[in-house]
Amino acid sequence: MEYNDMVMDHFSNPRNVGTIEDASGVGTVGNAQCGDIMKVYLKIEGDVVQDAKFKTFGCGAAVATSSMATELIIGKTIKEALQITNKTVLDALGGLPSAKVHCSCLAEEALHAALWDYAQKNDIIIEGIKIPVETH
Ligand code: FES
């Protein structure tokens, strides 16, 4: 299985690892098949994602995609953030081996789950958001 340099870089030096104490939204998702878990924290002010952090208990591809997903979402409006799909993350990373493409879905789901949490906490409706599946 071949990982490109960009994926290896984000795996070896993941950006935005950590937590945000007073996060506006937190999303936790898991992949039932492999058992990997991803948690994303977002700081949202004035409709813009000011900061994003993550913790991933998962494979290298999950770490790399979380890292890239948080890089992509920082500075985006909520509407723009919703446009970030696993394909966006994959493209930004220059692709993953086909057997690992499913790992990138966790990143998309975690971003959506954190935005969902933000919407719930603030009693707002975000058009087009996917309701996250509960993870325990
Ligand atoms: Fe589980 Fe990659 S193998 S997310």
Side-chain angles (χ1 to χ4, degrees), residues 107-123:
E108 175 185 330
E109 287 167 16
L111 295 185
H112 273 255
L115 289 167
W116 172 261
D117 184 46
Y118 167 73
Q120 295 288 99
K121 283 184 176 140
N122 292 277
D123 213 11

Side-chain angles (χ1 to χ4, degrees), residues 31 34-36 59 61-62 100 102-103 106:
N31 181 321
C34 61
D36 291 354
C59 72
K100 303 301 282 180
H102 73 274
C103 311
L106 266 191

Side-chain angles (χ1 to χ4, degrees), residues 8-67:
M8 286 309 291
D9 181 39
H10 276 268
F11 167 62
S12 309
N13 309 294
R15 325 309 193 250
N16 309 310
V17 174
T19 60
I20 298 176
E21 286 272 319
D22 52 345
S24 318
V26 182
T28 308
V29 295
N31 181 321
Q33 263 160 24
C34 61
D36 291 354
I37 294 168
M38 192 181 291
K39 192 162 187 176
V40 166
Y41 301 78
L42 298 179
K43 179 88 188 148
I44 300 170
E45 271 162 23
D47 198 40
V48 175
V49 178
Q50 304 286 352
D51 199 10
K53 295 260 189 275
F54 79 91
K55 278 194 166 177
T56 292
F57 187 79
C59 72
V63 171
T65 51
S66 316
S67 170

Side-chain angles (χ1 to χ4, degrees), residues 93-104:
L93 280 172
L96 279 172
S98 56
K100 303 301 282 180
V101 166
H102 73 274
C103 311
S104 64

